[in-house]
Amino acid sequence: MAREVLSGLTVAIVALPLAIAFGITATGTSEGALVGLYGAIFAGFFAALFGGTPGQVTGPTGPITVVATGVIAAHGLEGAFLAFIMAGAFQILFGLCRLGSLIRYIPHPVVSGFMGGIALIIILGELDQVQSSFLVVASTILLMLVSTRVIKSIPASLIALVVMTSVLRLADSWLRNVRVGPVSLNTTIDYIGRIPESIPSIITPELSGSLLLTLLLPALSIALLGSIDSLLTSVVMDNITGNRHRSNKELIGQGLGNAASGLFGGLASAGATVRSVVNVRSGGRTALSAATHSVILLALVVGLGAVVQYIPLAVLSGILILTAFGMFDWESLRKAHVSPRGDIVVMFATMIVTVLVDLTVAVAVGVTLALIVHVVKSRRRKASIVHVGADIYRIEGPLSFLSVDRVFTILRNDRPNLSLSLKDVTYMDMSGAKALLTFIDHSHTSGVALGIKDLPPHVANRLIALANEEQRDKLEAVVEDRLTGLR
């Protein structure tokens, strides 16, 4: 129990600057600091208690903030809070209708492109601060990069927030109108300003049929993106812990969290990947650690306004920009030249549509393109598992995003030994390769004696191309045939 509480404290420290930054970005005012914090507090607490992914931390995220910004601009804060409540109701409905299972059919390239597009939107949104306070933004990013390498025990974002805020209290006047010849490096430094200090209270929005109808599509958009964002984080958590989340229960928990957040004047939220990973690596394995993070944030909110007012907006911009860079799937981008061309087209198309059109449209376009690529590459829709005997199995057909979840769920059943033949795998996309490599990782971690044989050349080449160095070592250890080209 003590370990869970300490993990919750660690995550709260990580979440504090991010919640403030996302809240201010969404609202465009100093009041957004509390809106972001209330989102992390209430959505985080209820999603932890009622969700289906133990240890997952919920709070304001990039995708949700991007959509919430537009809703707040169009309908004001009160209208947005009602939209968040409606979004929570939609998510509860999704869970009750068991729609959470559909997350398994979102291809890896769509996820990569979607997250990359969100990252670009966040970076583009911070360009005004970069232009007016370049030195402060750059110094914040540099300090975070150095802190990440030098100080492992304290989150880099918190170090940057405290150090830069303290330094700028003394150096503010020196950093105004800094120029090198005709180039302006710093023109001004803007601060959050004083925020109201108050204990959260329930907000009762005014209801009308026309308003509810107007907010229907924005609420549905928030619900869809929040669900996708949260369940993708759940998949990441599964990959780290080796457990399996309950997707429909997770949606119900997220819905209750967003409904509570809207009722208390908080920002809509979703499962936050970075915060969840920090929680697991700090020892958090149950809902207690995630709920503790929300309770600690609530304790910090009381009396926080006197301190928060001195935080420079440019420092928050630096934190957000570096966070956005971390959202890119750099591994997939680096391996784009050796990845299936169809998957790369899907990834970049999703990214472009995310930035230029709409987030939900981008996911729909990406999945549609992935289906077209699959049809072109393989006439058979899904792969199947054949039980040859004892602990021997054979995969037949295309190992793609349409079947990987079902295939590896069947294979992962805590058996001590497993022999797997891939001779009848006709096609493998990026999702299939990533899933197989992850399965090998889990088998190694769980102590399963895994043997893979009869790899067709196209399967072997794809695995070799997409595996990192550690995965190649594990691949070489489990493959019973000689893997040419592995070294």
Side-chain angles (χ1 to χ4, degrees), residues 216-259:
L216 197 61
L217 285 179
L220 183 59
S221 180
I222 292 170
L224 287 171
L225 287 172
S227 300
I228 293 170
D229 199 9
S230 298
L231 293 180
L232 290 178
T233 300
S234 297
V235 172
V236 172
M237 292 285 282
D238 288 351
N239 291 340
I240 295 174
T241 63
N243 298 325
R244 186 163 176 80
H245 73 277
R246 298 170 63 186
S247 56
N248 295 304
K249 186 182 179 185
E250 181 62 31
L251 289 184
I252 293 172
Q254 291 293 327
L256 290 170
N258 276 327

mmCIF file of all heavy atoms in Angstrom, residues 216-259:
data_model
loop_
_atom_site.group_PDB
_atom_site.id
_atom_site.type_symbol
_atom_site.label_atom_id
_atom_site.label_comp_id
_atom_site.label_asym_id
_atom_site.label_seq_id
_atom_site.Cartn_x
_atom_site.Cartn_y
_atom_site.Cartn_z
ATOM 1 N N LEU A 216 -24.295 18.262 -29.275
ATOM 2 C CA LEU A 216 -24.317 16.824 -29.507
ATOM 3 C C LEU A 216 -23.077 16.335 -30.255
ATOM 4 O O LEU A 216 -22.387 15.403 -29.814
ATOM 5 C CB LEU A 216 -25.579 16.449 -30.282
ATOM 6 C CG LEU A 216 -25.967 14.963 -30.270
ATOM 7 C CD1 LEU A 216 -26.236 14.492 -28.842
ATOM 8 C CD2 LEU A 216 -27.193 14.727 -31.151
ATOM 9 N N LEU A 217 -22.757 16.970 -31.383
ATOM 10 C CA LEU A 217 -21.598 16.547 -32.178
ATOM 11 C C LEU A 217 -20.269 16.801 -31.465
ATOM 12 O O LEU A 217 -19.397 15.927 -31.460
ATOM 13 C CB LEU A 217 -21.621 17.203 -33.550
ATOM 14 C CG LEU A 217 -22.650 16.631 -34.542
ATOM 15 C CD1 LEU A 217 -22.608 17.386 -35.866
ATOM 16 C CD2 LEU A 217 -22.398 15.153 -34.779
ATOM 17 N N PRO A 218 -20.074 18.012 -30.859
ATOM 18 C CA PRO A 218 -18.823 18.206 -30.096
ATOM 19 C C PRO A 218 -18.651 17.182 -28.977
ATOM 20 O O PRO A 218 -17.546 16.672 -28.759
ATOM 21 C CB PRO A 218 -18.968 19.623 -29.531
ATOM 22 C CG PRO A 218 -19.899 20.315 -30.462
ATOM 23 C CD PRO A 218 -20.851 19.258 -30.926
ATOM 24 N N ALA A 219 -19.751 16.865 -28.278
ATOM 25 C CA ALA A 219 -19.667 15.884 -27.188
ATOM 26 C C ALA A 219 -19.320 14.500 -27.726
ATOM 27 O O ALA A 219 -18.503 13.777 -27.142
ATOM 28 C CB ALA A 219 -20.984 15.833 -26.417
ATOM 29 N N LEU A 220 -19.922 14.139 -28.855
ATOM 30 C CA LEU A 220 -19.628 12.840 -29.461
ATOM 31 C C LEU A 220 -18.176 12.767 -29.915
ATOM 32 O O LEU A 220 -17.510 11.736 -29.751
ATOM 33 C CB LEU A 220 -20.560 12.605 -30.646
ATOM 34 C CG LEU A 220 -20.437 11.254 -31.359
ATOM 35 C CD1 LEU A 220 -20.690 10.100 -30.394
ATOM 36 C CD2 LEU A 220 -21.403 11.179 -32.534
ATOM 37 N N SER A 221 -17.664 13.881 -30.454
ATOM 38 C CA SER A 221 -16.269 13.934 -30.888
ATOM 39 C C SER A 221 -15.320 13.745 -29.703
ATOM 40 O O SER A 221 -14.352 12.978 -29.783
ATOM 41 C CB SER A 221 -15.993 15.275 -31.580
ATOM 42 O OG SER A 221 -14.656 15.351 -32.001
ATOM 43 N N ILE A 222 -15.619 14.432 -28.592
ATOM 44 C CA ILE A 222 -14.794 14.293 -27.385
ATOM 45 C C ILE A 222 -14.856 12.858 -26.865
ATOM 46 O O ILE A 222 -13.837 12.276 -26.470
ATOM 47 C CB ILE A 222 -15.260 15.278 -26.291
ATOM 48 C CG1 ILE A 222 -14.953 16.716 -26.719
ATOM 49 C CG2 ILE A 222 -14.592 14.978 -24.958
ATOM 50 C CD1 ILE A 222 -15.589 17.766 -25.828
ATOM 51 N N ALA A 223 -16.068 12.280 -26.890
ATOM 52 C CA ALA A 223 -16.236 10.913 -26.400
ATOM 53 C C ALA A 223 -15.443 9.919 -27.242
ATOM 54 O O ALA A 223 -14.771 9.026 -26.698
ATOM 55 C CB ALA A 223 -17.718 10.543 -26.397
ATOM 56 N N LEU A 224 -15.499 10.076 -28.564
ATOM 57 C CA LEU A 224 -14.778 9.153 -29.447
ATOM 58 C C LEU A 224 -13.274 9.274 -29.258
ATOM 59 O O LEU A 224 -12.568 8.266 -29.104
ATOM 60 C CB LEU A 224 -15.150 9.436 -30.902
ATOM 61 C CG LEU A 224 -16.558 9.000 -31.340
ATOM 62 C CD1 LEU A 224 -16.868 9.547 -32.723
ATOM 63 C CD2 LEU A 224 -16.680 7.492 -31.331
ATOM 64 N N LEU A 225 -12.783 10.525 -29.250
ATOM 65 C CA LEU A 225 -11.337 10.725 -29.106
ATOM 66 C C LEU A 225 -10.846 10.313 -27.725
ATOM 67 O O LEU A 225 -9.781 9.700 -27.591
ATOM 68 C CB LEU A 225 -10.984 12.185 -29.373
ATOM 69 C CG LEU A 225 -11.056 12.605 -30.840
ATOM 70 C CD1 LEU A 225 -10.870 14.103 -30.969
ATOM 71 C CD2 LEU A 225 -10.019 11.880 -31.659
ATOM 72 N N GLY A 226 -11.642 10.648 -26.702
ATOM 73 C CA GLY A 226 -11.259 10.249 -25.354
ATOM 74 C C GLY A 226 -11.216 8.742 -25.205
ATOM 75 O O GLY A 226 -10.332 8.193 -24.532
ATOM 76 N N SER A 227 -12.150 8.057 -25.848
ATOM 77 C CA SER A 227 -12.189 6.596 -25.787
ATOM 78 C C SER A 227 -10.987 5.983 -26.496
ATOM 79 O O SER A 227 -10.326 5.086 -25.967
ATOM 80 C CB SER A 227 -13.489 6.080 -26.420
ATOM 81 O OG SER A 227 -14.613 6.597 -25.738
ATOM 82 N N ILE A 228 -10.710 6.493 -27.703
ATOM 83 C CA ILE A 228 -9.559 5.986 -28.457
ATOM 84 C C ILE A 228 -8.261 6.253 -27.697
ATOM 85 O O ILE A 228 -7.416 5.359 -27.531
ATOM 86 C CB ILE A 228 -9.506 6.633 -29.849
ATOM 87 C CG1 ILE A 228 -10.699 6.165 -30.701
ATOM 88 C CG2 ILE A 228 -8.188 6.295 -30.558
ATOM 89 C CD1 ILE A 228 -10.856 6.929 -32.002
ATOM 90 N N ASP A 229 -8.107 7.485 -27.207
ATOM 91 C CA ASP A 229 -6.898 7.881 -26.477
ATOM 92 C C ASP A 229 -6.701 7.000 -25.248
ATOM 93 O O ASP A 229 -5.608 6.479 -24.982
ATOM 94 C CB ASP A 229 -7.019 9.348 -26.075
ATOM 95 C CG ASP A 229 -5.672 9.977 -25.736
ATOM 96 O OD1 ASP A 229 -4.634 9.331 -25.968
ATOM 97 O OD2 ASP A 229 -5.655 11.128 -25.255
ATOM 98 N N SER A 230 -7.775 6.780 -24.496
ATOM 99 C CA SER A 230 -7.680 5.999 -23.261
ATOM 100 C C SER A 230 -7.363 4.537 -23.539
ATOM 101 O O SER A 230 -6.515 3.932 -22.865
ATOM 102 C CB SER A 230 -9.004 6.094 -22.484
ATOM 103 O OG SER A 230 -9.273 7.423 -22.112
ATOM 104 N N LEU A 231 -8.038 3.953 -24.531
ATOM 105 C CA LEU A 231 -7.828 2.536 -24.813
ATOM 106 C C LEU A 231 -6.463 2.272 -25.437
ATOM 107 O O LEU A 231 -5.878 1.206 -25.227
ATOM 108 C CB LEU A 231 -8.942 2.013 -25.715
ATOM 109 C CG LEU A 231 -10.327 1.983 -25.054
ATOM 110 C CD1 LEU A 231 -11.378 1.448 -26.025
ATOM 111 C CD2 LEU A 231 -10.322 1.137 -23.780
ATOM 112 N N LEU A 232 -5.942 3.247 -26.189
ATOM 113 C CA LEU A 232 -4.574 3.102 -26.698
ATOM 114 C C LEU A 232 -3.582 3.096 -25.536
ATOM 115 O O LEU A 232 -2.609 2.337 -25.532
ATOM 116 C CB LEU A 232 -4.242 4.227 -27.676
ATOM 117 C CG LEU A 232 -4.965 4.185 -29.025
ATOM 118 C CD1 LEU A 232 -4.584 5.382 -29.869
ATOM 119 C CD2 LEU A 232 -4.669 2.894 -29.767
ATOM 120 N N THR A 233 -3.831 3.947 -24.540
ATOM 121 C CA THR A 233 -2.987 3.945 -23.348
ATOM 122 C C THR A 233 -3.122 2.618 -22.610
ATOM 123 O O THR A 233 -2.140 2.078 -22.083
ATOM 124 C CB THR A 233 -3.377 5.108 -22.411
ATOM 125 O OG1 THR A 233 -3.201 6.343 -23.098
ATOM 126 C CG2 THR A 233 -2.516 5.115 -21.153
ATOM 127 N N SER A 234 -4.333 2.062 -22.594
ATOM 128 C CA SER A 234 -4.542 0.749 -21.956
ATOM 129 C C SER A 234 -3.716 -0.325 -22.643
ATOM 130 O O SER A 234 -3.159 -1.212 -21.982
ATOM 131 C CB SER A 234 -6.028 0.377 -22.010
ATOM 132 O OG SER A 234 -6.819 1.293 -21.283
ATOM 133 N N VAL A 235 -3.632 -0.250 -23.976
ATOM 134 C CA VAL A 235 -2.827 -1.222 -24.725
ATOM 135 C C VAL A 235 -1.346 -1.081 -24.357
ATOM 136 O O VAL A 235 -0.633 -2.076 -24.179
ATOM 137 C CB VAL A 235 -3.024 -1.034 -26.243
ATOM 138 C CG1 VAL A 235 -2.047 -1.894 -27.026
ATOM 139 C CG2 VAL A 235 -4.461 -1.385 -26.635
ATOM 140 N N VAL A 236 -0.887 0.170 -24.233
ATOM 141 C CA VAL A 236 0.502 0.413 -23.821
ATOM 142 C C VAL A 236 0.738 -0.182 -22.427
ATOM 143 O O VAL A 236 1.772 -0.811 -22.175
ATOM 144 C CB VAL A 236 0.809 1.925 -23.815
ATOM 145 C CG1 VAL A 236 2.181 2.199 -23.189
ATOM 146 C CG2 VAL A 236 0.769 2.480 -25.234
ATOM 147 N N MET A 237 -0.228 0.003 -21.531
ATOM 148 C CA MET A 237 -0.104 -0.549 -20.179
ATOM 149 C C MET A 237 -0.038 -2.077 -20.216
ATOM 150 O O MET A 237 0.734 -2.703 -19.479
ATOM 151 C CB MET A 237 -1.293 -0.089 -19.328
ATOM 152 C CG MET A 237 -1.296 1.402 -19.034
ATOM 153 S SD MET A 237 -0.065 1.849 -17.797
ATOM 154 C CE MET A 237 -0.906 1.334 -16.309
ATOM 155 N N ASP A 238 -0.853 -2.679 -21.082
ATOM 156 C CA ASP A 238 -0.808 -4.145 -21.230
ATOM 157 C C ASP A 238 0.576 -4.607 -21.663
ATOM 158 O O ASP A 238 1.108 -5.611 -21.177
ATOM 159 C CB ASP A 238 -1.838 -4.606 -22.260
ATOM 160 C CG ASP A 238 -3.269 -4.499 -21.758
ATOM 161 O OD1 ASP A 238 -3.444 -4.232 -20.560
ATOM 162 O OD2 ASP A 238 -4.194 -4.657 -22.564
ATOM 163 N N ASN A 239 1.159 -3.857 -22.616
ATOM 164 C CA ASN A 239 2.483 -4.228 -23.126
ATOM 165 C C ASN A 239 3.552 -4.152 -22.045
ATOM 166 O O ASN A 239 4.515 -4.928 -22.049
ATOM 167 C CB ASN A 239 2.868 -3.307 -24.293
ATOM 168 C CG ASN A 239 2.027 -3.556 -25.528
ATOM 169 O OD1 ASN A 239 1.423 -4.612 -25.681
ATOM 170 N ND2 ASN A 239 1.970 -2.574 -26.411
ATOM 171 N N ILE A 240 3.387 -3.220 -21.109
ATOM 172 C CA ILE A 240 4.379 -3.051 -20.043
ATOM 173 C C ILE A 240 4.180 -4.072 -18.929
ATOM 174 O O ILE A 240 5.126 -4.689 -18.447
ATOM 175 C CB ILE A 240 4.318 -1.618 -19.461
ATOM 176 C CG1 ILE A 240 4.733 -0.596 -20.521
ATOM 177 C CG2 ILE A 240 5.217 -1.487 -18.228
ATOM 178 C CD1 ILE A 240 4.556 0.832 -20.081
ATOM 179 N N THR A 241 2.927 -4.249 -18.513
ATOM 180 C CA THR A 241 2.645 -5.084 -17.341
ATOM 181 C C THR A 241 2.438 -6.560 -17.684
ATOM 182 O O THR A 241 2.575 -7.428 -16.817
ATOM 183 C CB THR A 241 1.386 -4.583 -16.616
ATOM 184 O OG1 THR A 241 0.245 -4.700 -17.500
ATOM 185 C CG2 THR A 241 1.548 -3.121 -16.203
ATOM 186 N N GLY A 242 2.091 -6.835 -18.959
ATOM 187 C CA GLY A 242 1.786 -8.204 -19.338
ATOM 188 C C GLY A 242 0.368 -8.615 -18.984
ATOM 189 O O GLY A 242 -0.034 -9.760 -19.218
ATOM 190 N N ASN A 243 -0.419 -7.681 -18.419
ATOM 191 C CA ASN A 243 -1.820 -7.966 -18.095
ATOM 192 C C ASN A 243 -2.706 -7.664 -19.292
ATOM 193 O O ASN A 243 -2.226 -7.223 -20.345
ATOM 194 C CB ASN A 243 -2.261 -7.134 -16.884
ATOM 195 C CG ASN A 243 -1.473 -7.467 -15.642
ATOM 196 O OD1 ASN A 243 -1.099 -8.621 -15.439
ATOM 197 N ND2 ASN A 243 -1.210 -6.471 -14.809
ATOM 198 N N ARG A 244 -3.996 -7.837 -19.118
ATOM 199 C CA ARG A 244 -4.944 -7.521 -20.181
ATOM 200 C C ARG A 244 -6.054 -6.652 -19.603
ATOM 201 O O ARG A 244 -6.765 -7.069 -18.684
ATOM 202 C CB ARG A 244 -5.512 -8.793 -20.800
ATOM 203 C CG ARG A 244 -6.387 -8.514 -22.004
ATOM 204 C CD ARG A 244 -6.586 -9.780 -22.813
ATOM 205 N NE ARG A 244 -7.489 -9.570 -23.930
ATOM 206 C CZ ARG A 244 -7.137 -9.010 -25.078
ATOM 207 N NH1 ARG A 244 -5.893 -8.603 -25.248
ATOM 208 N NH2 ARG A 244 -8.007 -8.861 -26.054
ATOM 209 N N HIS A 245 -6.222 -5.451 -20.151
ATOM 210 C CA HIS A 245 -7.233 -4.544 -19.616
ATOM 211 C C HIS A 245 -8.635 -4.967 -20.042
ATOM 212 O O HIS A 245 -8.808 -5.746 -20.974
ATOM 213 C CB HIS A 245 -6.960 -3.115 -20.107
ATOM 214 C CG HIS A 245 -7.278 -2.900 -21.555
ATOM 215 N ND1 HIS A 245 -6.406 -3.231 -22.575
ATOM 216 C CD2 HIS A 245 -8.383 -2.392 -22.177
ATOM 217 C CE1 HIS A 245 -6.949 -2.935 -23.743
ATOM 218 N NE2 HIS A 245 -8.158 -2.429 -23.528
ATOM 219 N N ARG A 246 -9.624 -4.414 -19.361
ATOM 220 C CA ARG A 246 -11.030 -4.644 -19.707
ATOM 221 C C ARG A 246 -11.546 -3.374 -20.383
ATOM 222 O O ARG A 246 -11.862 -2.381 -19.720
ATOM 223 C CB ARG A 246 -11.819 -4.986 -18.450
ATOM 224 C CG ARG A 246 -11.337 -6.274 -17.774
ATOM 225 C CD ARG A 246 -11.958 -6.478 -16.413
ATOM 226 N NE ARG A 246 -13.405 -6.642 -16.499
ATOM 227 C CZ ARG A 246 -14.199 -6.726 -15.435
ATOM 228 N NH1 ARG A 246 -13.660 -6.663 -14.209
ATOM 229 N NH2 ARG A 246 -15.494 -6.868 -15.571
ATOM 230 N N SER A 247 -11.594 -3.423 -21.703
ATOM 231 C CA SER A 247 -11.828 -2.200 -22.480
ATOM 232 C C SER A 247 -13.190 -1.582 -22.221
ATOM 233 O O SER A 247 -13.308 -0.349 -22.110
ATOM 234 C CB SER A 247 -11.640 -2.483 -23.976
ATOM 235 O OG SER A 247 -12.490 -3.535 -24.393
ATOM 236 N N ASN A 248 -14.223 -2.377 -22.123
ATOM 237 C CA ASN A 248 -15.558 -1.804 -21.928
ATOM 238 C C ASN A 248 -15.730 -1.217 -20.529
ATOM 239 O O ASN A 248 -16.348 -0.160 -20.360
ATOM 240 C CB ASN A 248 -16.624 -2.871 -22.196
ATOM 241 C CG ASN A 248 -16.618 -3.304 -23.650
ATOM 242 O OD1 ASN A 248 -16.760 -2.490 -24.551
ATOM 243 N ND2 ASN A 248 -16.411 -4.594 -23.895
ATOM 244 N N LYS A 249 -15.151 -1.873 -19.541
ATOM 245 C CA LYS A 249 -15.164 -1.304 -18.192
ATOM 246 C C LYS A 249 -14.355 -0.009 -18.147
ATOM 247 O O LYS A 249 -14.728 0.945 -17.456
ATOM 248 C CB LYS A 249 -14.604 -2.313 -17.188
ATOM 249 C CG LYS A 249 -14.722 -1.843 -15.742
ATOM 250 C CD LYS A 249 -14.128 -2.838 -14.765
ATOM 251 C CE LYS A 249 -14.252 -2.295 -13.336
ATOM 252 N NZ LYS A 249 -13.578 -3.171 -12.353
ATOM 253 N N GLU A 250 -13.260 0.034 -18.908
ATOM 254 C CA GLU A 250 -12.445 1.243 -18.958
ATOM 255 C C GLU A 250 -13.242 2.417 -19.527
ATOM 256 O O GLU A 250 -13.157 3.546 -19.036
ATOM 257 C CB GLU A 250 -11.185 1.006 -19.805
ATOM 258 C CG GLU A 250 -10.249 2.205 -19.896
ATOM 259 C CD GLU A 250 -9.680 2.622 -18.556
ATOM 260 O OE1 GLU A 250 -9.489 1.755 -17.675
ATOM 261 O OE2 GLU A 250 -9.438 3.835 -18.381
ATOM 262 N N LEU A 251 -14.037 2.150 -20.555
ATOM 263 C CA LEU A 251 -14.866 3.213 -21.140
ATOM 264 C C LEU A 251 -15.896 3.734 -20.139
ATOM 265 O O LEU A 251 -16.159 4.933 -20.065
ATOM 266 C CB LEU A 251 -15.566 2.705 -22.397
ATOM 267 C CG LEU A 251 -14.690 2.472 -23.628
ATOM 268 C CD1 LEU A 251 -15.548 2.069 -24.814
ATOM 269 C CD2 LEU A 251 -13.878 3.716 -23.970
ATOM 270 N N ILE A 252 -16.491 2.824 -19.377
ATOM 271 C CA ILE A 252 -17.456 3.254 -18.360
ATOM 272 C C ILE A 252 -16.765 4.125 -17.306
ATOM 273 O O ILE A 252 -17.283 5.174 -16.896
ATOM 274 C CB ILE A 252 -18.127 2.029 -17.706
ATOM 275 C CG1 ILE A 252 -19.009 1.309 -18.742
ATOM 276 C CG2 ILE A 252 -18.966 2.444 -16.498
ATOM 277 C CD1 ILE A 252 -19.568 -0.014 -18.271
ATOM 278 N N GLY A 253 -15.564 3.708 -16.883
ATOM 279 C CA GLY A 253 -14.809 4.507 -15.912
ATOM 280 C C GLY A 253 -14.435 5.861 -16.460
ATOM 281 O O GLY A 253 -14.553 6.888 -15.765
ATOM 282 N N GLN A 254 -13.990 5.904 -17.719
ATOM 283 C CA GLN A 254 -13.648 7.183 -18.344
ATOM 284 C C GLN A 254 -14.885 8.071 -18.460
ATOM 285 O O GLN A 254 -14.816 9.295 -18.265
ATOM 286 C CB GLN A 254 -13.046 6.944 -19.725
ATOM 287 C CG GLN A 254 -11.663 6.305 -19.727
ATOM 288 C CD GLN A 254 -10.603 7.213 -19.160
ATOM 289 O OE1 GLN A 254 -10.659 8.429 -19.299
ATOM 290 N NE2 GLN A 254 -9.601 6.613 -18.527
ATOM 291 N N GLY A 255 -16.034 7.459 -18.785
ATOM 292 C CA GLY A 255 -17.265 8.235 -18.887
ATOM 293 C C GLY A 255 -17.677 8.838 -17.560
ATOM 294 O O GLY A 255 -18.051 10.016 -17.474
ATOM 295 N N LEU A 256 -17.604 8.053 -16.498
ATOM 296 C CA LEU A 256 -17.917 8.578 -15.168
ATOM 297 C C LEU A 256 -16.948 9.695 -14.784
ATOM 298 O O LEU A 256 -17.348 10.706 -14.191
ATOM 299 C CB LEU A 256 -17.852 7.446 -14.140
ATOM 300 C CG LEU A 256 -18.962 6.391 -14.233
ATOM 301 C CD1 LEU A 256 -18.652 5.209 -13.319
ATOM 302 C CD2 LEU A 256 -20.308 7.004 -13.868
ATOM 303 N N GLY A 257 -15.673 9.518 -15.160
ATOM 304 C CA GLY A 257 -14.669 10.534 -14.859
ATOM 305 C C GLY A 257 -14.939 11.838 -15.577
ATOM 306 O O GLY A 257 -14.882 12.920 -14.982
ATOM 307 N N ASN A 258 -15.264 11.782 -16.866
ATOM 308 C CA ASN A 258 -15.522 13.000 -17.620
ATOM 309 C C ASN A 258 -16.816 13.678 -17.186
ATOM 310 O O ASN A 258 -16.910 14.906 -17.174
ATOM 311 C CB ASN A 258 -15.550 12.693 -19.116
ATOM 312 C CG ASN A 258 -14.165 12.689 -19.726
ATOM 313 O OD1 ASN A 258 -13.285 13.440 -19.318
ATOM 314 N ND2 ASN A 258 -13.941 11.816 -20.696
ATOM 315 N N ALA A 259 -17.830 12.879 -16.839
ATOM 316 C CA ALA A 259 -19.068 13.462 -16.327
ATOM 317 C C ALA A 259 -18.808 14.204 -15.017
ATOM 318 O O ALA A 259 -19.285 15.333 -14.815
ATOM 319 C CB ALA A 259 -20.115 12.364 -16.127
#
